[in-house]
Amino acid sequence: MQGNLSEIDIRSILQLIELGQRTGLLFVEAYTEELLTKTWFVFFLKGQIVYSQEANSSVFRLRDYLRYYRINLQGEETPPKTDADKSFSAPEYGYLWRLLEQDIINPTQARSIIHGLVHETLFDLLSLREGNFIFELDKPLTPQLTSLEIAPLVNKVFKQVQEWKLLYPYIQSPDQCPVLTDIERLRSSLASSTVEKLQHWADGKTSLRQLARFLNRDVLTLAKAIFPYVQQGLIHIADDTALSLAQNHSSVQHSKENPSIKAIVCIDDAAAICETVQSILQPQGYNAIAFTNPLEALNRVFQLQPHLILCDIVMPDLDGYQLCAMLRHSSAFRLVPIIMLSAKSSYIDRARANMVGATDYLTKPFESTELLLLIQKYLNKCEVKKPTNKMRYLLI
């Protein structure tokens, strides 16, 4: 059995495997937003799940789970081959059995870890809307320590996936990392011991999923616990991928090394608009950084710390009003000028922009001189070169 997830979803595939009491391996492949391939394996025995994991041989996940039991692995990233490692696809599983054989963990702990690993894998799979899959009948993964009924587990995880969507756009992915943005306000809301723990864990480098493993909790429970503080701007949720950190790194570093250069972020879902704004600002000595995805922009601005933000109003997933209001909830952006860009010029639109904390409002289309003078007004730039091109930029 094989196919595309646009034709049949993961939930239906799992139901078919359960009804047929199949023994074998399900392989799922999908692409991330960064166009990287991500793959998973799920092992079945007579229609029940024995184990599941991402298709890699690292033991980082196990390290996280073992941390809860105060067990530290000795720096091994690739588990060695053992008698328990019967499948090249499940080296992580073989490593877990090695820990059992050496009495480093007991069967109860191992079952709990397997349950956690299967749970988080299903959370990822049930969140997919696109990808490819192959199910092959095969010998069971051996030895078996536990097996999980598909129907109740899938129903539970599917409900969690639905609840997770309610956290958008504040929290989007279990791989995002919390970081404290206003410790003083947190101290007034939480016990000092809780704030100390948050300071230790919410370092901007540890993902929500890692924290859930450390605490032996599911990631939804953890995300819901910090959600009110994320809404208030006391905790920021950032991405933790090498690609994300690499984007705009040179621009940020250039601004830090040259404090006189003002960083301006433009957020607009139309790439042509972003490119045009950059073409206006960069020749004038500004460090113009553009984003076409408002959710991505929300994550990046906390790292970039721009001097001014230009924000379109009509955008998918997160409109300009919502974005502006969210930024104003954070102390880091209470005083940063935010200029709304819109093709609408009615009093109601301007009033709404003002209500969410916008500093000013610029109607499209506008001339390059209009944009530059407005930026100069809020950044107190002493001198702006007059643009040689007087054409009117039709930004719609």
Side-chain angles (χ1 to χ4, degrees), residues 50-265:
V50 176
Y51 193 71
S52 64
Q53 69 166 79
E54 282 189 46
N56 62 63
S57 58
S58 72
V59 295
F60 291 125
R61 294 201 307 173
L62 284 182
R63 277 205 184 107
D64 292 343
Y65 279 99
L66 293 172
R67 190 166 183 168
Y68 175 75
Y69 298 106
R70 300 174 185 255
I71 299 171
N72 294 317
L73 300 185
Q74 301 301 314
E76 292 186 43
E77 295 183 7
T78 304
K81 298 294 181 182
T82 67
D83 292 337
D85 188 10
K86 300 298 183 182
S87 171
F88 76 94
S89 300
E92 185 181 60
Y93 188 71
Y95 195 89
L96 186 66
W97 269 98
R98 180 189 174 198
L99 298 177
L100 268 171
E101 292 170 348
Q102 296 179 353
D103 294 323
I104 296 175
I105 59 175
N106 60 49
T108 300
Q109 292 170 334
R111 289 190 189 94
S112 178
I113 291 172
I114 289 175
H115 287 196
L117 294 171
V118 170
H119 187 285
E120 67 177 59
T121 302
L122 288 182
F123 187 93
D124 287 343
L125 293 179
L126 291 171
S127 301
L128 294 178
R129 291 293 176 269
E130 296 181 353
N132 302 303
F133 75 92
I134 299 174
F135 177 76
E136 294 182 349
L137 296 174
D138 200 355
K139 295 179 180 179
L141 185 67
T142 56
Q144 289 102 34
L145 182 64
T146 187
S147 60
L148 304 171
E149 291 185 30
I150 290 177
L153 182 59
V154 167
N155 289 337
K156 177 182 177 181
V157 177
F158 184 76
K159 288 179 181 178
Q160 291 184 336
V161 170
Q162 297 302 107
E163 287 187 62
W164 183 270
K165 294 177 181 178
L166 299 178
L167 304 180
Y168 273 62
Y170 298 93
I171 302 176
Q172 303 162 39
S173 165
D175 296 320
Q176 290 180 301
C177 306
V179 59
L180 307 189
T181 58
D182 199 327
I183 297 175
E184 293 307 314
R185 285 180 62 197
L186 275 173
R187 290 188 191 281
S188 65
S189 305
L190 299 172
S192 57
S193 59
T194 303
V195 175
E196 288 178 8
K197 289 179 181 178
L198 283 172
Q199 282 185 281
H200 177 71
W201 294 116
D203 56 2
K205 300 176 182 177
T206 305
S207 70
L208 291 170
R209 177 159 279 164
Q210 285 179 295
L211 288 175
R213 294 169 187 161
F214 296 162
L215 301 172
N216 199 26
R217 297 286 187 273
D218 67 78
V219 71
L220 176 64
T221 299
L222 175 66
K224 288 170 73 173
I226 68 169
F227 181 67
Y229 305 105
V230 176
Q231 280 185 306
Q232 297 172 45
L234 306 183
I235 298 177
H236 169 60
I237 303 296
D239 283 337
D240 185 38
T241 62
L243 184 61
S244 296
L245 292 175
Q247 287 183 345
N248 296 311
H249 174 74
S250 58
S251 295
V252 176
Q253 191 64 31
H254 185 55
S255 291
K256 289 180 178 179
E257 293 173 356
N258 301 275
S260 61
I261 297 178
K262 304 297 184 181
I264 298 175
V265 163

Side-chain angles (χ1 to χ4, degrees), residues 282-293:
Q282 287 174 346
Q284 306 303 316
Y286 294 107
N287 179 17
I289 306 161
F291 296 98
T292 56
N293 185 327

